[in-house]
Amino acid sequence: MSDDELDPLGLGSAALGVWQAMATTPVALLQTQSSLAEAWLALALRTVATSAGVSEKPAPVIAPAPNDSRWKHPAWNDNPTFDAIKQGYLLATRAVLESIEQAPGVDPETKSRVKFFAKQFCDAMSPTNFAFLNPAVIEETLRSGSGNFTRGVENYLADLRDNDGRPALVDKSAFEIGKNVATSKGEVVFRNELIELIQYRPSTETVYQRPLVIVPPWINKFYILDLQPANSFIKYAVDSGISTFVVSWRNPDASLAHFGFEEYLELGSLAAVRAAREIAGTSDVNQIGYCIGGTLTAMELAYLSKTEPGLVNAVTFFAALIDFADAGEIKNFLGPEMLALIEKKMSDEGFLPGSDMADTFNMLRANDLIWNVAVNRYLLGKDAPAFDLLYWNADATRMPATLHRNYLNDMYVRNALVAGGLSHKGVTLDLGAVKNDVFSVASIDDHIAPWRSVYKMTQVFSGDVTFRLGHSGHIAGIINAPGAGKGNFWENDVNVPSADDWFAAARKQPGSWWPTWLAWISARSGPRVPAPGQPGSPAHPALEPAPGSYVLAKS
């Protein structure tokens, strides 16, 4: 068996380089160990004092991060034994990560990869993952007479049978696409081998003249924008009088293995905006690009700036990267060994399985999306929840081999788009030539499209760019309907070069950023006109009701 087969992520060689650096220059490691010993002593003294019933509880030696939900059971704070276990684990985790960070002479990329996967190991070894170290599990065991373990075994066997051995995030039987998710009324008005274009039925007597075309990411399905009526961005736009179209990407199989960015531009976003323009009877459209759909939209705009600048008017980006220099923790999966493994798998199958992509994103939030789920399913014996967002998250899609190769090498490895190193049909893609009005929104805790990297587009495009920063992560920061009354966002109308300087001067506003966007897009959507009576046009007749057929294909 080759080294690559034994170590497909290349962690062995990376970790060896870190440990050799520590051994060669052990001062930093000894300092970390000394600090850990001092912290352990302080923790021991605190535990003794707390157990002795002192009148004033000493301050903790170390505290979990505010968003770390593993320790929400009261015993982790109130019981001296569990409190000591928690703090001991947190101290050990900190010592491991600090030791790696302080290793001398190791390049930042290698440090980052080793730290990331060391954190994965530390997360796996958390006391919350062990039955008789977790007070919530102990409590449930006593309450149910160990019935939680009986149910946990049943859940484990069900996951082996039905979910490829992964702990089920959601009760998939609770949802049906078109019945209780993706329920906005509309029609498929255009279809080719890659997309279906859905036109939504107006809910107002008049609509803005210029239509809106939404290009979602193809690594997930479009109905993240139409989960339920209360949190549907599509319904919000339609109810606001915006003629709304959305691209529904085909879930590709091996027959589309040769499709790359060229095909996704021509048969995807460009085909969609041209069909929507014809149906609406306008000279141009507005557009939204979400995540990698936004990256594709930026490529499209750069191409159109030199070939057909009047096709697209104003453009909105949701959590979209055009500069991948600092693309966050996902780059830890892109060492040469891992890229070779992905390449081999795609060559064999013609596509990247949706489950592989889902596993990668879940590892970025392993405590929430892996370990907490396993504890609930197998140790507490709980049923998987019926939660629309998790249902969508589990409805994974595949990626054609050529496209995924383009995506990884052109964006994450070469960062070629922002550098002007890509072309389409012989036209060099220059983002600086994009003069459209742009509304860009990112999320402050996004682990897929880090907000500071998203912000860089304010310094690249030549048009007027409005940037807003939402709360939470890649999904919750975007899907935050005003009616929910949750969260906040930051606004600043001066785009300075530094994202941190922008944030320091930004105003924090309560609630959703959607109304701010609505005012912006409405001003760029033309006059109100009578709503169309029928979807489609003679050239693009209605083919079938929304949500169409492509979205129903499972990986």
Side-chain angles (χ1 to χ4, degrees):
M1 185 175 288
S2 68
D3 291 343
D4 287 348
E5 291 174 313
L6 289 170
D7 184 20
L9 294 176
L11 294 180
S13 58
L16 180 62
V18 172
W19 307 139
Q20 286 177 333
M22 292 179 182
T24 304
T25 313
V27 174
L29 179 59
L30 291 174
Q31 289 175 339
T32 301
Q33 292 175 333
S34 176
S35 298
L36 176 62
E38 292 176 4
W40 271 103
L41 179 59
L43 176 59
L45 294 174
R46 180 185 185 277
T47 302
V48 170
T50 303
S51 301
V54 294
S55 57
E56 185 175 343
K57 186 177 181 179
V61 177
I62 188 171
N67 60 350
D68 190 343
S69 62
R70 290 176 292 178
W71 319 100
K72 61 185 178 182
H73 193 283
W76 289 116
N77 292 320
D78 299 341
N79 183 290
T81 300
F82 284 115
D83 187 30
I85 292 171
K86 174 191 71 179
Q87 292 193 60
Y89 163 77
L90 293 174
L91 287 170
T93 298
R94 184 175 71 183
V96 168
L97 300 182
E98 286 183 352
S99 296
I100 298 169
E101 181 59 37
Q102 294 175 11
V106 180
D107 65 275
E109 185 174 326
T110 299
K111 277 186 183 179
S112 175
R113 293 189 69 216
V114 174
K115 278 181 65 178
F116 176 81
F117 286 101
K119 176 68 163 53
Q120 296 291 320
F121 175 78
C122 291
D123 289 346
M125 300 305 296
S126 170
T128 55
N129 298 336
F130 296 88
F132 296 107
L133 292 177
N134 188 326
V137 177
I138 295 171
E139 188 177 86
E140 179 61 21
T141 303
L142 295 173
R143 188 199 66 79
S144 68
S146 299
N148 53 314
F149 294 128
T150 300
R151 296 190 302 273
V153 170
E154 293 171 350
N155 289 340
Y156 176 70
L157 294 175
D159 288 342
L160 281 177
R161 182 184 66 245
D162 302 329
N163 206 45
D164 294 329
R166 298 171 176 85
L169 281 167
V170 65
D171 177 9
K172 295 181 181 179
S173 67
F175 297 96
E176 183 178 353
I177 297 172
K179 299 295 184 182
N180 55 0
V181 291
T183 59
S184 290
K185 301 301 181 184
E187 303 285 338
V188 174
V189 292
F190 174 82
R191 179 188 290 126
N192 61 26
E193 59 265 51
L194 186 59
I195 69 167
E196 290 179 335
L197 182 66
I198 299 170
Q199 180 182 12
Y200 288 94
R201 290 185 176 273
S203 60
T204 53
E205 291 186 0
T206 63
V207 296
Y208 289 101
Q209 186 177 50
R210 182 175 286 121
L212 173 68
V213 178
I214 302 175
V215 181
W218 54 81
I219 56 178
N220 297 110
K221 294 184 178 178
F222 79 87
Y223 64 89
I224 185 58
L225 297 164
D226 189 36
L227 288 171
Q228 303 280 347
N231 62 1
S232 170
F233 181 86
I234 288 171
K235 185 177 187 302
Y236 178 79
V238 170
D239 288 349
S240 301
I242 296 175
S243 296
T244 304
F245 295 76
V246 69
V247 170
S248 176
W249 297 99
R250 179 178 172 186
N251 197 354
D253 55 23
S255 69
L256 300 187
H258 61 289
F259 274 32
F261 275 134
E262 292 275 338
E263 289 77 15
Y264 271 66
L265 266 173
E266 283 297 321
L267 300 175
S269 59
L270 283 170
V273 298
R274 286 172 176 145
R277 178 182 65 171
E278 190 279 331
I279 291 168
T282 57
S283 61
D284 60 7
V285 304
N286 291 329
Q287 191 167 334
I288 291 177
Y290 191 171
C291 187
I292 187 63
T295 307
L296 186 73
T297 296
M299 296 172 66
E300 171 203 313
L301 296 177
Y303 174 71
L304 291 177
S305 69
K306 298 180 180 179
T307 59
E308 198 175 350
L311 181 58
V312 176
N313 181 48
V315 184
T316 303
F317 291 93
F318 292 167
L321 292 174
I322 60 171
D323 187 334
F324 287 73
D326 184 9
E329 291 185 327
I330 198 168
K331 294 195 75 170
N332 293 311
F333 292 93
L334 302 179
E337 298 86 356
M338 186 60 178
L339 289 174
L341 180 67
I342 293 172
E343 181 65 36
K344 182 180 185 306
K345 189 162 193 173
M346 292 192 304
S347 296
D348 292 341
E349 301 185 25
F351 55 82
L352 184 75
S355 58
D356 286 16
M357 183 69 72
D359 288 345
T360 298
F361 287 134
N362 287 348
M363 285 182 69
L364 299 180
R365 293 177 53 205
N367 283 325
D368 293 331
L369 297 179
I370 299 175
W371 299 114
N372 181 58
V373 179
V375 168
N376 283 332
R377 292 279 286 161
Y378 308 146
L379 301 186
L380 293 172
K382 293 183 178 180
D383 293 332
F387 183 24
D388 56 1
L389 178 57
L390 290 179
Y391 176 78
W392 166 85
N393 187 69
D395 192 10
T397 58
R398 298 177 287 264
M399 284 184 68
T402 299
L403 179 67
H404 198 53
R405 192 177 297 118
N406 292 161
Y407 183 33
L408 295 181
N409 290 318
D410 292 344
M411 303 303 169
Y412 285 100
V413 177
R414 297 173 52 223
N415 197 19
L417 176 58
V418 76
L422 297 180
S423 63
H424 179 62
K425 298 177 73 172
V427 177
T428 299
L429 303 183
D430 177 11
L431 297 181
V434 174
K435 299 178 181 179
N436 305 72
D437 283 357
V438 164
F439 188 103
S440 175
V441 60
S443 300
I444 196 166
D445 294 324
D446 195 332
H447 58 288
I448 295 172
W451 79 266
R452 291 175 179 84
S453 294
V454 175
Y455 178 81
K456 291 179 180 179
M457 70 173 59
T458 66
Q459 308 301 304
V460 175
F461 293 140
S462 297
D464 180 59
V465 181
T466 298
F467 183 82
R468 295 293 180 261
L469 180 62
H471 80 303
S472 195
H474 192 68
I475 302 301
I478 302 300
I479 309 304
N480 181 30
K486 296 180 180 179
N488 53 263
F489 68 98
W490 289 264
E491 61 181 10
N492 180 355
D493 294 325
V494 180
N495 295 329
V496 295
S498 164
D500 289 322
D501 289 346
W502 180 95
F503 184 75
R507 303 176 297 278
K508 187 176 182 179
Q509 305 288 4
S512 171
W513 54 265
W514 289 14
T516 299
W517 170 82
L518 180 61
W520 182 89
I521 196 69
S522 297
R524 293 161 175 80
S525 296
R528 303 281 295 224
V529 298
Q534 296 295 328
S537 69
H540 296 102
L543 302 176
E544 66 174 300
S549 301
Y550 282 177
V551 73
L552 302 180
K554 300 295 182 181
S555 295

